[in-house]
Amino acid sequence: MVANLGTERALYSVEVSGTEAWGTVRVSPAFVSVDQGQAGEFFVFVKANDNAVLGTQSFTVKILADGQEVKSLALNAG
């Protein structure tokens, strides 16, 4: 979930990195337009490849507002 604490509408998107070697990612929706003082949400789906090494895998999710990074999250899947 993202909240727009700014003074104007913002266009949010998500970039996921670090899964290329072991899995696939899908983000839905691709973009969310959020008015000031409002919130929107994304769903990030991560799926391990059939040949992925067992165990915990790390990846990064970046939240962008109007193309500029506003938050970066280091996450794990296992």
Side-chain angles (χ1 to χ4, degrees):
M1 180 167 274
V2 294
N4 183 354
L5 304 177
T7 58
E8 297 181 11
R9 178 185 304 225
L11 184 63
Y12 290 87
S13 60
V14 172
E15 290 181 359
V16 181
S17 61
T19 61
E20 300 81 12
W22 58 267
T24 58
V25 175
R26 180 173 57 93
V27 178
S28 180
F31 297 94
V32 174
S33 181
V34 182
D35 288 325
Q36 68 180 34
Q38 300 296 312
E41 65 183 2
F42 290 96
F43 293 94
V44 177
F45 301 92
V46 179
K47 181 181 176 191
N49 295 334
D50 291 339
N51 62 349
V53 175
L54 293 178
T56 303
Q57 302 290 340
S58 300
F59 61 100
T60 302
V61 175
K62 291 182 183 178
I63 292 105
L64 305 151
D66 297 323
Q68 300 295 314
E69 183 179 330
V70 293
K71 183 78 174 181
S72 181
L73 304 166
L75 300 175
N76 294 313

